[in-house]
Amino acid sequence: MLSEQDNDIMCRVGPGTPMGNLMREFWIPALMSSELPVPDGPPLRLRLLGENLISFRDSKGQVGIFTHACPHRGASLFFGRNEEEGLRCVYHGWKFEVTGTCVDMPSEPAESNFKNKVRVRAYPARERGEVVWVYMGPRESDRLPPLPDIETNMSPPGVNSANKILRECNSVQALEGDIDTSHISFLHRNLQEDAFAATPDEFNKYVGGDSAPRYQVDETEYGTIYGAYRPAEEDSFYFRIGQFVLPFYTMPGTGKLGYGGRRGFRAWVPVDDDHTMFFTIGAPRNYNMFGNRQPAIRPPAGNDDGRFMPETTDFASGRWRLSANRDNDYMIDREAQKTVNYTGIGNIHLQDQAITESMGPVYLRQHEHLGTSDSMIIRTRRRLIKAAKAHRDEGIVPSVVDHPELYRVRSGGVVIPRNADWLQATADLRRVDREIEEALALQGAAT
């Protein structure tokens, strides 16, 4: 059970809120680079941490991210002209370059210096690994924190990519499903005997026979970590290790732990209190975000890859909304629920989406009843609330903000001796310094 006050601290992210102020200390994944495909292209609406913003790519290819309102009289810069290295408001022609500086004010007399006194609120933006990152915090441009050392976001061009999907609920509510490993035995259960035949690995071997794992949970300098363990051979355990990294990243324990295993971060970026943009950062280019080990049931809207609804002009939910959504009950197939899979919903992502959105926009956690399988969720909530309060009350910025190397971690499954300390036994496997150094070396060679 979580008090209403702590639930608000954890879930509210607008300007001036404890969690919102904490998150603004970090670089935030804002867009995929492909969303701004060409210089001088149309401006794009963007909402992050409860703020309505405008993004654009200028004539030089630089990305600008502004508050959407022109500082003159509040007209939306969405209607602006993106031209000649700046965004020009169509109301009176005021023009701003990517740093927010006003470079032209044709509605004022030529001798006026008023344009030197006016700026649009602009946030620093950087591009790396097909992701546009934005910094919305208090630091000046010469003191910005480094981008996080997320392994696959640092790969050479063409190796990895980014994907995103809108989820219509609070970001903590959404990410909690990623650090809850016990639900996979139920929510994602397949009822067909040969469902896992194509992927015979340790996960299927050990998880399939035990739906109630035991847990070891701990805090780290960068977040929290769990080890959900099940009996393997007589003298060993199978550990499925997953991680949470501040402020909104998860690394569920999919694949094999260690060098050459499955890679990538997931980011549950708060659009506002009630909406989340779910990024996969660094999925292989041929990765299908909606794919899984299960046979398809009924593909959304006649598509087999989870197509999206047509775009609208809404800041919060106008883009990246799935065609299978709460308005059509995620296209649940009740007959398939009897014979194909546990839910009758077509794939793993939709199953997670349906359940977390069914809780409402912001779940009131004082009504829940938590068990031992919720250990990681309990510890992660405490970690988030503690960090937000420390930042609010003492100005403490988490060390991971200024130490990008703390993001050099990985999750996955591994078999270890039953008498081993699980954290010590997996320490080297969970570090990805070798891969990061290889990526940096390739970047250096390319330049």
Side-chain angles (χ1 to χ4, degrees), residues 1-2 176 363-370 377 381:
M1 180 184 295
L2 200 65
E176 284 180 348
Y363 183 61
L364 302 179
R365 289 171 172 83
Q366 60 266 35
H367 300 308
E368 66 188 1
H369 299 79
L370 302 182
I377 290 172
R381 291 176 184 176

Side-chain angles (χ1 to χ4, degrees), residues 268-289:
W268 302 90
V269 179
V271 174
D272 52 28
D273 296 346
D274 301 341
H275 300 84
T276 303
M277 196 60 73
F278 168 40
F279 282 77
T280 55
I281 300 178
R285 187 168 293 278
N286 62 355
Y287 171 71
N288 181 347
M289 196 173 192

Side-chain angles (χ1 to χ4, degrees), residues 20 41 53-54 62 68 88 95 109-110 118 147 153-154 163 199 257 260 317 369 386 406 415:
L53 308 170
I54 297 297
Q62 302 174 107
H68 89 103
R88 187 183 296 274
K95 180 180 176 182
V118 177
L147 290 176
N153 184 243
M154 303 172 73
N163 297 275
T199 54
L257 183 65
S317 58
H369 299 79
K386 180 181 176 181
L406 293 177
V415 176

